[in-house]
Every structure is written in C-alpha cells, then in structure tokens.
Amino acid sequence: QEVFAGVYAHAVDTPFTFETGEGGADVELGYRFGRQDALKAIGKPEPYLMASLNTRGDTGFVGAGLSWRLGEGPVYLRPGLGLVAQNGPELRVGASGLRTDLGSCVLFEPEIAFGARLSERFSIEASWVHISHARLFNAHQNPGIDMLGARLAFALK
C-alpha cells in the first residue's frame, strides 16, 4: 500500500489529443492498495484511487483503477487503466468550430509510468496520464487530455 503525489503539465500536445484551449499544471494525489491475489488471473494488479486538480481551474478529475508494477528490481514499469469523473465544461467550441469539450462526464484513464525505487519506502515515477471517452459517446468528437509529469510514492508498509 502506498500514497502518491505528483505535478503534471496539463493538456500536453500528443498524437492522442487535439487542442482544447486548456493548460496550466495539475496536482495529483492518490492511494494504491496492495496487490490483489483475488485478481491473479489478470496479474494481481494494485487498485488505486486518485484525484487531479488543475491550477488554472481547467478540467480536474477523480477516479479509480488498476495498475500493475512490472519489474522486481529498483527500476520498473507501471501501466494502469481506470475510470474518472471530470468537471470540464459540458459544451466548448474552439476557434475552428470543432467541439473541444470532453464529451462525457465519465472517461477512461489509461496511464503508464516509469519508476525507480529511491529507498525501501520511496519511489519516483515519470508518468503519462490520458483521459478520454475513446469515441464511445461521439464518433466524431473526442479531444482527450494528456498530462505528463512526475510523482513521488511512499510505501506505508
């Protein structure tokens, strides 16, 4: 079990998104539960809870998901997949005339982190977090938002 906190660049331009007019930084806080033996069939993931607050008042979100720590050494990979509820605008149209709102209150939240254990209890992770509805709610509109940043994790046990 561990707690984590991080700082992220909000609305980073990647091939998975398009311009939403958002920006600023995000502060992320979260909690990871221990590996779940009951989910052995999918690799004993660690469930997590998280919240992200934007410093400019742009889209923030809260959610939950599963992550997998891959690698037993001091360096590891941590993919994750969750669902979040976001507080962005219900309708937003960019200068080009395209909708730039996120299209749904509930979004998918895939993420991946590269981590390094600093000590027995502390780890640091460079991570990418993406939120979008994967075009499930609108086949023509899905700008998504990507965040890139770093987080520090503290193991409780």
Side-chain angles (χ1 to χ4, degrees):
Q1 299 175 356
E2 62 187 5
V3 294
F4 59 90
V7 178
Y8 290 77
H10 183 85
V12 176
D13 186 24
T14 72
F16 303 106
T17 63
F18 64 79
E19 179 60 41
T20 60
E22 296 198 12
D26 291 342
V27 176
E28 180 184 286
L29 300 172
Y31 180 83
R32 286 189 196 108
F33 297 86
R35 293 180 69 172
Q36 300 298 303
D37 291 333
L39 298 175
K40 182 179 178 181
I42 59 171
K44 297 183 185 178
E46 299 172 8
Y48 63 87
L49 302 172
M50 53 110 63
S52 182
L53 178 67
N54 183 268
T55 59
R56 280 191 1 184
D58 286 336
T59 301
F61 51 93
V62 298
L66 299 172
S67 73
W68 292 260
R69 184 175 172 150
L70 307 177
E72 297 300 321
V75 177
Y76 58 90
L77 180 67
R78 182 183 290 283
L81 180 61
L83 291 174
V84 298
Q86 57 93 8
N87 67 353
E90 285 186 39
L91 177 64
R92 177 176 53 207
V93 179
S96 66
L98 292 175
R99 284 184 61 185
T100 62
D101 57 273
L102 295 173
S104 175
C105 180
V106 176
L107 303 170
F108 294 106
E109 182 264 333
E111 62 176 69
I112 192 161
F114 296 97
R117 184 176 302 147
L118 302 174
S119 71
E120 190 172 312
R121 296 186 87 168
F122 283 99
S123 297
I124 191 164
E125 297 175 350
S127 72
W128 164 76
V129 175
H130 175 79
I131 59 172
S132 76
H133 64 70
R135 293 195 176 184
L136 293 178
F137 302 111
N138 183 328
H140 304 289
Q141 182 266 339
N142 181 34
I145 296 178
D146 281 334
M147 285 70 62
L148 292 174
R151 57 189 173 208
L152 187 63
F154 177 73
L156 300 175
K157 289 185 177 184

